[in-house]
Amino acid sequence: MQSSDVRKSFLDFFAEKQHTIVPSSSLLPDSPNLLFTNAGMNQFVPIFLSQAPCPYRPPRAADTQKCIRAGGKHNDLDDVGHDTYHHTFFEMLGNWSFGDYFKQEAITWAWELLVDRWNFPPHRLFATVYRPAQTEPASFDEEAYAIWQDVFRSAGLDPQVHILFGSKKDNFWMMGDTGPCGPCSEIHVNLLPDREYRPDTGRSLVNSGSPQCIEIWNLVFIQFNATADGSFVPLPSRHVDTGMGFERVCSIIQGTKGFTQFDNLHISNYATDVFREILLAIAERAISSHSQNQSVLQSIASTECILDFERILPQPLTVAFRVIADHLRTLAFAIADGIWPSNEGRGYVLRRILRRAVKFGRVELGIQGPFLFEIVPALVKKFAPTFPELADQESTIVSVIKAEEESFGKTVERGLSLFREERQRLQSAQIQQLSGEFIFRLYDTYGFPYDLTELLAREAHLTMDREGFDRAMEEQRQRSLAAHKRVVIEVNQDGDSAIVTRFIGYEAGEGKGTVLEVNPQPPFVILSETPCYAEMGGQVGDQGTLYFETETYSILDTQKGKGGAVIHLLDRAFTGPKGAEVFVRIDLKRRHRIAAHHTATHLLHWALRMVLGNRVAQRGSYVGPDRLRFDFSHGKGMTPEELSAVERLVTEKIAADDPVQTRIQSYREVKMDPTIMQFFGEKYGDIVRVVDIGGYSKELCGGTHLASTGEAGFFKIVSESAIAAGIRRIEAVCGAGVTDYAAEEWERLREELSVLARKYQVPLPIDWPEKPGEGSDPSEAWERLEKARGCLLTFREKGRELVRRESKALEEALRKEAVEIYADYHQRARVLPSGVPVVVANLSGSQHASPGLLQAVADAFKQRGWKGILVLGYRDTQKASILVSVSKDYTGQYSAGTIVQKLVPLIGGRGGGRSDLAQGGGGRVEGLEDALSCVWEFLK
Ligand code: SER
């Protein structure tokens, strides 16, 4: 069976057993405690916990689920590549019962599929059953044990041999530290050669880490919910969650040729058609890089031979192939689900995975330059029939990986050259150890991975000062702690009585509240209710005023505290007691500007998707009173036409004055509605707020908005730029923000203008527009700004003209001086015994002394038809220069290039050139005189 047949056969089998076949869920998990979707059951957690009804009739489902196990509880990253069956990405085939069938069916159907349908030899199968040392969290799974006994007995096998017991470590499955869980039963397959196989040896290999006994299927009987306090709460219904390692099953079926052959086995997940095309693409790429392993790579680079790579290649190359093939799948599938390499959280795990793959490619396979991205098409072709998102996102996957490889490539190059310099330095000083300080500098300042330094050190026979490195790391940590002066606001919560502030600011701009917490330093209060919006989702916190008795405090900022508390940062310590009644009023004008920018952000998002297509996804935003910033995924810079189309669309919607409506909905409903924009990569609670503008822009959003788009008034994009690979940023302003922006910009332009005017010593242009003042109409303000821009551009142009004129004058002066120098020197030439005249001059004291003067003087000699050798020098405090020219008649005998080469070492530099003209420079300025007097030596 090919892998696609295995997948299909599994799903068909469970469809026959009335299971609904569902698509794999995204690799971005719903659970906030997971980095990646790590098991088939993740998407069903709400059903297990009775938080959502089961939508399937009967309540059964089956699928193949994309899983990543890297970082977090189930973390296989470091094993990957060194064995034949661990992966960071894999598919898990699974079947589920939601409060429907239980252990009896789960076990007997598993047996039926493996033995009756797929022909697994029953005597090579072993089952494990949960039997804990103590009774926590559940007692011995006698039910599963009894069922397995029947199963093995009816196959004529001894249950005593084929059933093993395991404790919580092996036979109690948990998705993470919390969540649905329960005892499990695993099925293991023995792969010993027929002549060695005996049931008791088979038994002894179970869970021994031997590649000749592989766990293929885990049947979990979900009965509990693990809670954060460490307790296991029984669930109202009992469920089945099974997970079969797709690649492992393929490896066994294909490696044994459908169980016909157990001798001389080569069982490896990588030796299946799952990986064939990817491996082939890696081999071809390595060959095209002319790596040192050409011939052995050639021998595997064909469809027939590639799956034998593990038997043919030397071990380090084998590991590299596996690592690259595995990691590339993780990267491609993750990126297709919107998880991109970055500096934090799951993005950081991806970045490490990419760098690990690149390292193996460079170091072991000798591949030069970015290469992973070139393998993506082979991967997409293979898996897109099952996972169409790969085809949809192919160009994004390629460009994200390429950009990430390029940036890592630069890091590596820089690190390598620093390493080479250091190695030379150590060699000449006869030191054999890399200092901790140096390793740390590579790591910290240059982002060079520690283990790559380790590898280079090993090759260069250098030891590593690990302790020194650790010390430097620790010192750095201390320094950054000290430098990190940010105010950390912590709310003390006694026991369980979490403080929650009610937000009334959608409807009201002011209101009363009771003081629940008072903090003197930094000064803040927490209130029972507030109209102030706490910074969230890009929207800045409100400012306002707090009144208490006769006192008035400024609210400088509003931030989220722990739990649902809202913190009001004040200008000074609050003097009243806890429990005091206060009155709060927000800065309404400021809030209105924020709301205008927030509504405009939604319009902008919508317009970008209209102009650039639906692939545009929000990556972050800032919404303040001054401006808005919107970051989004898009592979290239926007053209001026695209920008003005976006601006026009937003402007039209503002002119239409569409209503902005908000509604509260359940997340479950929203999730199913593709027209509602959600922040990719964000997690939401059960109840969400949808902001709907005119029916065309619907977004999940907790922010504050205008009542209708018309209130935004006037909209202008002020910049578009790249902020990271594949991510663009637009900054825009609207309403009163436009006037402020225009006034600020005007000020900046005016400053630039006066600097230029001083530089060129000319008066300011007279038609410079008047400054757009506060409160002036935004469109008028914008007009004045545009005019100012125009003036500055013209003036810059003028400036350039002035510079051109100035340099002409300088040229003129140089020429004049050069002619004087010529007049002075050409008669003083000394004639060599060969009859060739030579002039040597140090021009450092001349009026226009500069390297430019050397050239001008050489030109003057040439233009006046002087024949001979000219050697000119010049120095300032930093640099010495030497120019040699040999007139054509003598280049047969003397070469300017050779003369320069001989002289420049004396000024500590390098140089060379043609035989008629050559130049060089160096930093040993005091050597110039020596160099010039040496000329006679060379020319004798
Ligand atoms: N949840 C179990 C696992 O991932 C079975 O699907 O192994």
Side-chain angles (χ1 to χ4, degrees):
M1 275 199 288
Q2 291 294 293
S3 59
S4 54
D5 303 325
V6 173
R7 210 186 271 118
K8 181 165 183 309
S9 170
F10 180 94
L11 297 176
D12 286 351
F13 178 85
F14 284 102
E16 287 163 25
K17 311 267 185 231
Q18 283 101 45
H19 287 64
T20 303
I21 308 304
V22 299
S24 168
S25 66
S26 161
L27 282 164
L28 183 70
D30 283 329
S31 160
N33 300 330
L34 289 181
L35 280 174
F36 301 99
T37 295
N38 68 352
M41 53 81 79
N42 293 171
Q43 64 167 317
F44 302 117
V45 168
I47 308 182
F48 290 143
L49 298 179
S50 305
Q51 290 166 347
C54 173
Y56 319 114
R57 289 287 159 272
R60 303 173 183 181
D63 71 4
T64 183
Q65 173 66 50
K66 306 176 276 190
C67 298
I68 292 182
R69 290 191 179 172
K73 180 170 161 63
H74 298 278
N75 182 359
D76 295 337
L77 180 58
D78 293 330
D79 290 330
V80 172
H82 297 289
D83 64 29
T84 52
Y85 55 95
H86 273 104
H87 295 294
T88 54
F89 172 89
F90 59 95
E91 279 180 62
M92 196 185 285
L93 297 164
N95 59 293
W96 284 272
S97 151
F98 306 104
D100 186 27
Y101 65 81
F102 205 44
K103 298 181 187 175
Q104 179 70 39
E105 292 85 343
I107 293 174
T108 48
W109 287 345
W111 186 264
E112 184 184 335
L113 175 63
L114 292 178
V115 175
D116 300 341
R117 190 147 308 185
W118 285 352
N119 298 327
F120 272 71
H123 66 281
R124 286 179 177 272
L125 295 179
F126 293 83
T128 61
V129 167
Y130 176 63
R131 190 166 73 181
Q134 318 100 329
T135 51
E136 295 294 328
S139 52
F140 173 34
D141 191 352
E142 286 174 72
E143 190 184 348
Y145 182 56
I147 301 167
W148 277 119
Q149 276 185 319
D150 284 350
V151 166
F152 283 111
R153 260 190 219 122
S154 36
L157 298 164
D158 181 358
Q160 303 278 32
V161 174
H162 286 268
I163 305 175
L164 295 93
F165 297 118
S167 64
K168 185 173 174 213
K169 177 176 152 282
D170 288 320
N171 283 88
F172 191 91
W173 199 83
M174 298 176 74
M175 162 181 100
D177 294 330
T178 58
C181 54
C184 62
S185 226
E186 297 166 351
I187 304 176
H188 297 248
V189 184
N190 186 283
L191 300 167
L192 282 170
D194 280 329
R195 59 178 183 287
E196 282 173 38
Y197 180 76
R198 291 212 324 271
D200 52 343
T201 22
R203 177 182 170 85
S204 68
L205 291 185
V206 172
N207 273 335
S208 68
S210 158
Q212 284 174 312
C213 181
I214 298 181
E215 177 208 332
I216 52 160
W217 205 345
N218 188 10
L219 316 178
V220 184
F221 311 116
I222 302 267
Q223 282 164 266
F224 302 99
N225 183 24
T227 57
D229 64 12
S231 61
F232 292 85
V233 182
L235 291 171
S237 330
R238 304 185 308 172
H239 317 276
V240 170
D241 152 28
T242 87
M244 173 190 277
F246 169 67
E247 295 79 3
R248 291 186 182 183
V249 166
C250 291
S251 79
I252 295 171
I253 296 179
Q254 296 183 9
T256 59
K257 306 214 168 18
F259 306 108
T260 57
Q261 178 198 323
F262 279 87
D263 290 320
N264 196 17
L265 282 192
H266 174 56
I267 304 280
S268 162
N269 292 4
Y270 297 93
T272 61
D273 75 293
V274 176
F275 285 95
R276 185 188 287 126
E277 286 74 14
I278 300 175
L279 293 166
L280 201 52
I282 300 172
E284 280 160 5
R285 180 59 179 80
I287 290 170
S288 76
S289 232
H290 300 292
S291 82
Q292 63 273 38
N293 305 300
Q294 286 293 306
S295 55
V296 64
L297 287 174
Q298 295 279 10
S299 70
I300 58 158
S302 67
T303 320
E304 299 73 44
C305 303
I306 189 72
L307 293 186
D308 273 331
F309 77 99
E310 290 158 305
R311 301 209 242 203
I312 299 173
L313 296 183
Q315 183 64 6
L317 271 69
T318 298
V319 174
F321 266 76
R322 291 186 191 135
V323 166
I324 296 168
D326 172 88
H327 290 9
L328 186 66
R329 293 210 311 160
T330 304
L331 289 161
F333 278 91
I335 295 168
D337 280 344
I339 311 171
W340 289 16
S342 74
N343 257 344
E344 22 174 65
R346 48 179 74 91
Y348 185 61
V349 177
L350 274 196
R351 176 162 284 170
R352 277 185 42 216
I353 289 177
L354 180 134
R355 294 182 166 197
R356 189 164 183 258
V358 169
K359 244 158 40 187
F360 274 92
R362 284 184 84 104
V363 176
E364 305 297 352
L365 302 184
I367 301 183
Q368 304 295 324
F371 65 97
L372 286 173
F373 79 98
E374 290 174 317
I375 301 161
V376 172
L379 180 152
V380 170
K381 200 160 159 226
K382 178 79 190 177
F383 296 102
T386 315
F387 304 100
E389 60 275 24
L390 289 171
D392 291 348
Q393 298 288 325
E394 181 166 354
S395 59
T396 307
I397 301 171
V398 169
S399 57
V400 170
I401 294 184
K402 181 160 182 250
E404 187 71 18
E405 285 190 87
E406 278 167 355
S407 91
F408 183 50
K410 282 192 203 121
T411 305
V412 170
E413 286 312 328
R414 212 174 30 211
L416 284 176
S417 85
L418 287 168
F419 182 86
R420 279 192 287 263
E421 274 172 29
E422 179 71 1
R423 187 183 53 197
Q424 261 179 7
R425 197 182 68 77
L426 295 181
Q427 254 165 13
S428 43
Q430 302 207 332
I431 300 175
Q432 250 113 49
Q433 186 173 54
L434 278 183
S435 71
E437 182 270 329
F438 174 75
I439 307 168
F440 179 74
R441 188 151 52 86
L442 270 190
Y443 169 84
D444 186 59
T445 316
Y446 298 98
F448 197 70
Y450 179 88
D451 45 354
L452 203 51
T453 311
E454 213 171 19
L455 200 104
L456 293 171
R458 215 177 309 135
E459 278 169 8
H461 305 293
L462 292 168
T463 56
M464 308 260 290
D465 175 12
R466 173 83 213 205
E467 269 173 32
F469 173 78
D470 291 342
R471 219 171 21 249
M473 268 303 247
E474 180 55 27
E475 280 165 16
Q476 156 79 354
R477 211 177 63 83
Q478 295 298 343
R479 270 198 304 277
S480 76
L481 277 182
H484 204 69
K485 286 231 183 71
R486 230 190 82 194
V487 188
V488 178
I489 299 164
E490 286 263 312
V491 186
N492 293 323
Q493 290 171 4
D494 343 279
D496 290 332
S497 58
I499 298 175
V500 176
T501 308
R502 202 164 79 86
F503 177 59
I504 56 165
Y506 288 133
E507 311 88 29
E510 55 185 37
K512 276 205 273 227
T514 311
V515 175
L516 303 179
E517 265 317 314
V518 178
N519 197 67
Q521 199 48 40
F524 70 74
V525 291
I526 296 175
L527 305 179
S528 58
E529 41 183 83
T530 183
C532 292
Y533 181 87
E535 178 179 344
M536 188 183 49
Q539 178 174 332
V540 298
D542 273 330
Q543 294 178 355
T545 318
L546 181 141
Y547 304 88
F548 169 62
E549 294 177 343
T550 54
E551 299 279 329
T552 307
Y553 301 85
S554 292
I555 300 172
L556 305 178
D557 194 8
T558 315
Q559 296 176 6
K560 281 196 154 216
K562 266 198 195 156
V566 171
I567 285 170
H568 302 74
L569 279 165
L570 304 179
D571 56 345
R572 66 206 146 89
F574 182 69
T575 49
K578 236 178 167 176
E581 285 285 306
V582 296
F583 188 80
V584 170
R585 176 174 292 139
I586 61 174
D587 178 342
L588 267 179
K589 205 166 132 198
R590 183 172 177 276
R591 162 72 88 77
H592 187 268
R593 284 176 164 218
I594 296 172
H597 283 133
H598 207 151
T599 301
T601 304
H602 287 211
L603 291 177
L604 173 64
H605 188 182
W606 163 81
L608 282 168
R609 291 169 67 91
M610 295 293 283
V611 173
L612 303 177
N614 284 343
R615 297 254 171 92
V616 166
Q618 177 167 1
R619 289 275 158 190
S621 68
Y622 161 87
V623 176
D626 52 339
R627 68 183 65 197
L628 72 90
R629 213 164 53 208
F630 187 76
D631 299 340
F632 58 101
S633 54
H634 185 55
K636 48 183 186 299
M638 289 175 68
T639 62
E641 292 73 31
E642 286 168 340
L643 280 170
S644 54
V646 166
E647 202 172 78
R648 202 171 48 242
L649 280 175
V650 175
T651 303
E652 274 168 25
K653 290 303 178 192
I654 290 175
D657 198 17
D658 291 320
V660 180
Q661 284 159 340
T662 53
R663 9 171 229 281
I664 301 298
Q665 261 180 280
S666 96
Y667 181 53
R668 241 156 260 300
E669 262 167 60
V670 168
K671 213 176 151 187
M672 299 296 149
D673 183 346
T675 65
I676 301 179
M677 295 288 118
Q678 313 178 19
F679 200 117
F680 219 22
E682 188 63 60
K683 289 294 137 205
Y684 298 95
D686 294 340
I687 301 295
V688 291
R689 187 164 174 267
V690 178
V691 174
D692 179 342
I693 307 182
Y696 50 85
S697 153
K698 290 187 260 177
E699 294 197 22
L700 279 193
C701 175
T704 59
H705 284 269
L706 301 170
S708 67
T709 56
E711 288 179 45
F714 190 68
F715 173 84
K716 279 286 159 198
I717 292 179
V718 299
S719 74
E720 191 271 346
S721 57
I723 55 160
I727 303 188
R728 313 291 307 176
R729 166 170 291 175
I730 282 188
E731 291 195 294
V733 282
C734 64
V738 175
T739 318
D740 286 356
Y741 172 82
E744 258 173 47
E745 245 329 78
W746 186 94
E747 201 65 67
R748 203 185 58 71
L749 297 179
R750 157 122 199 159
E751 182 54 36
E752 188 181 337
L753 182 79
S754 45
V755 169
L756 286 179
R758 270 198 303 278
K759 180 166 162 200
Y760 304 138
Q761 298 176 353
V762 285
L764 291 185
I766 36 169
D767 53 354
W768 187 255
E770 190 194 324
K771 179 173 180 167
E774 168 146 3
S776 65
D777 175 51
S779 68
E780 191 190 308
W782 192 262
E783 235 169 71
R784 284 193 219 162
L785 175 65
E786 295 279 80
K787 189 159 173 228
R789 277 199 184 121
C791 283
L792 184 66
L793 280 182
T794 328
F795 193 64
R796 271 202 210 125
E797 205 30 63
K798 251 192 205 158
R800 263 182 233 127
E801 180 53 39
L802 284 174
V803 170
R804 268 196 291 276
R805 258 190 258 150
E806 209 174 274
S807 61
K808 255 207 173 120
L810 179 69
E811 230 173 87
E812 199 45 53
L814 279 178
R815 218 177 2 247
K816 224 168 124 230
E817 190 173 2
V819 172
E820 283 163 18
I821 292 172
Y822 167 77
D824 187 15
Y825 275 92
H826 86 279
Q827 294 152 346
R828 296 210 247 146
R830 275 160 65 177
V831 180
L832 295 176
S834 55
V836 181
V838 179
V839 166
V840 177
N842 183 349
L843 305 183
S844 304
S846 303
Q847 195 188 347
H848 294 97
S850 66
L853 178 64
L854 302 188
Q855 187 63 54
V857 172
D859 289 347
F861 273 73
K862 192 168 170 187
Q863 273 161 20
R864 279 159 185 75
W866 184 83
K867 291 190 174 63
I869 300 173
L870 183 62
V871 180
L872 303 172
Y874 151 78
R875 60 174 269 197
D876 56 23
T877 52
Q878 310 277 321
K879 193 174 167 194
S881 308
I882 293 175
L883 178 145
V884 178
S885 101
V886 176
S887 48
K888 284 275 183 231
D889 303 16
Y890 303 122
T891 48
Q893 288 161 268
Y894 302 95
S895 157
T898 317
I899 301 174
V900 162
Q901 266 169 25
K902 289 196 170 137
L903 300 181
V904 281
L906 294 165
I907 53 170
R910 279 188 280 174
R914 306 189 311 243
S915 57
D916 60 334
L917 185 69
Q919 236 171 329
R924 242 192 105 237
V925 294
E926 66 281 7
L928 182 66
E929 272 307 322
D930 274 353
L932 293 181
S933 45
C934 273
V935 173
W936 303 112
E937 294 289 312
F938 296 136
L939 296 180
K940 255 197 308 217

